[in-house]
Amino acid sequence: MDLEEINTIAVLGAGNMGHGITEVAAMAGYDVNMRDIKAEFVEDGYDQIEWSLNKLAEKDRLSREDADAALERVTPLVDMEAAVADADVVIEAVPEQMEIKEEVYRELEACAGDDALFVTNTSSLSITDLAEFTDRPERFCGMHFFNPPVRMQLVEVISGAETAEETLDVVEELAEEFGKTPVRVHRDSPGFIVNRILVPLMNEASWLVSDGEATIAEVDSTTKYELGLPMGTFELGDQVGNDISYHVLEYMHDVLGDAYEPAPLLEEKVENEELGKKTGAGFYDYE
Ligand code: CAA
């Protein structure tokens, strides 16, 4: 498939990443079907897109007309077949659990067009393993965005064992059409490049606090003001979602070993459903 043949994109999942990717694709001029399993999930995702486009317009990052036009290109849907039947590219951004992803890919494969490309926004799971849930491993790869997608420049384009070179080329071109900078990741290893570095950093910060060696405020001031990161480590954890970091770590722990054991502080946040900004509380309060 050539880039010019891509007109309609389906995004599966209307959570933080799903609605953010939908927004990016709609801003780039694509018609986007954003699908989730419940009407309230897609409605919430749609409201978040509207909020974000308004914010961008308010801050003169986007004209009011372009913001309105982008929103008009988004169709929120619950029905899988309606969402994917005409899609040229399907971007999957459902929860980071293999069983959920398997179920979604089986259903997707049954109703998507034969030529459609499937890409996954997984943060860490094996692209090769996910591709096995479909009949098109050569037209399947990772397309990993960062949170918030509308503000973050990088997209990792990750090859699975059977991904065709043409698939990687067109997905890279698509990332560029979205106004992003793609980086190709040749090795399908847990966390790819960014999360392999970033998530252990966030985990190490949690270990420091769990072990009573530093406070959250101390860690965040050093990462922000000394290491020069745009956000403190815990602030970033709340932005990403503590459940997301935790799932990435659990997977790295399983595949790569003990160095990646999640810290008790992070575990506690997930158990208490203090997942960060999206739940109103995480390492900080947002109410
Ligand atoms: N849409 C529109 N506006 C948004 C927004 C969104 N999605 N998210 C935040 N904003 C708004 C804020 O509400 C704020 O507006 P107000 O000033 O009115 O409150 C404004 O943007 C802040 O933007 P600024 O440019 O003034 O602030 P900044 O320079 O701090 O930039 C940032 C914000 C780009 C998010 C920056 O803090 C940053 O780069 N943070 C790091 C984020 C990061 O590293 N993300 C990757 C995480 S890893 C990941 O996602 C991978 C994974 O798989 C786990």
Side-chain angles (χ1 to χ4, degrees):
M1 177 181 295
D2 292 331
L3 184 67
E4 296 70 44
E5 294 171 71
I6 302 175
N7 296 304
T8 301
I9 292 179
V11 177
L12 305 182
N16 269 343
M17 296 309 291
H19 72 67
I21 296 167
T22 299
E23 179 184 7
V24 166
M27 282 167 64
Y30 292 95
D31 291 323
V32 193
N33 297 331
M34 178 176 69
R35 187 262 177 182
D36 211 318
I37 51 173
K38 286 188 182 168
E40 65 196 84
F41 297 164
V42 273
E43 280 157 20
D44 186 50
Y46 190 84
D47 290 347
Q48 298 287 338
I49 295 173
E50 194 168 17
W51 174 87
S52 175
L53 289 168
N54 280 336
K55 191 64 130 175
L56 297 174
E58 238 172 63
K59 303 223 153 200
D60 286 332
R61 291 182 193 273
L62 189 69
S63 71
R64 171 53 54 195
E65 299 71 48
D66 286 349
D68 293 344
L71 195 61
E72 269 181 34
R73 289 187 203 105
V74 176
T75 307
L77 288 158
V78 171
D79 186 84
M80 173 71 99
E81 185 159 10
V84 305
D86 294 331
D88 305 302
V89 176
V90 180
I91 305 178
E92 172 272 306
V94 308
E96 282 295 86
Q97 284 161 40
M98 273 291 186
E99 319 77 65
I100 298 181
K101 298 220 191 245
E102 173 169 10
E103 202 180 308
V104 167
Y105 280 117
R106 302 267 184 229
E107 193 185 351
L108 168 63
E109 187 60 80
C111 40
D114 289 342
D115 296 332
L117 297 182
F118 291 174
V119 303
T120 173
N121 179 58
T122 182
S123 317
S124 63
L125 301 176
S126 161
I127 306 299
T128 306
D129 290 353
L130 291 171
E132 277 176 17
F133 302 140
T134 76
D135 300 333
R136 60 189 83 197
E138 70 292 348
R139 266 172 295 115
F140 188 105
C141 72
M143 188 181 196
H144 183 215
F145 293 79
F146 297 86
N147 189 337
V150 77
R151 297 290 313 273
M152 305 307 292
Q153 192 58 32
L154 182 72
V155 171
E156 289 177 321
V157 175
I158 310 126
S159 181
E162 293 183 58
T163 309
E165 199 59 25
E166 305 84 73
T167 300
L168 297 166
D169 288 344
V170 76
V171 172
E172 274 184 359
E173 287 171 37
L174 183 63
E176 281 166 0
E177 274 305 290
F178 286 175
K180 303 297 180 193
T181 305
V183 166
R184 193 174 290 200
V185 181
H186 299 277
R187 250 197 103 218
D188 179 20
S189 68
F192 316 121
I193 297 175
V194 173
N195 282 343
R196 180 73 176 269
I197 298 169
L198 193 61
V199 177
L201 174 84
M202 299 199 286
N203 194 36
E204 201 57 37
S206 290
W207 274 110
L208 269 177
V209 175
S210 291
D211 290 345
E213 315 226 359
T215 65
I216 288 177
E218 285 161 356
V219 171
D220 270 7
S221 12
T222 54
T223 41
K224 192 161 170 176
Y225 299 112
E226 178 53 32
L227 298 183
L229 297 182
M231 287 176 158
T233 316
F234 289 102
E235 202 186 348
L236 182 61
D238 279 352
Q239 163 85 23
V240 167
N242 294 320
D243 52 336
I244 306 289
S245 318
Y246 185 75
H247 285 310
V248 172
L249 271 169
E250 264 191 318
Y251 184 66
M252 286 185 174
H253 188 207
D254 278 355
V255 180
L256 301 171
D258 284 347
Y260 300 88
E261 183 186 354
L265 176 67
L266 185 57
E267 213 153 33
E268 189 189 300
K269 291 290 164 195
V270 175
E271 271 166 23
N272 296 339
E273 296 204 19
E274 291 172 340
L275 305 181
K277 277 190 180 165
K278 63 186 170 188
T279 55
F283 297 113
Y284 297 95
D285 283 331
Y286 299 91
E287 296 297 334

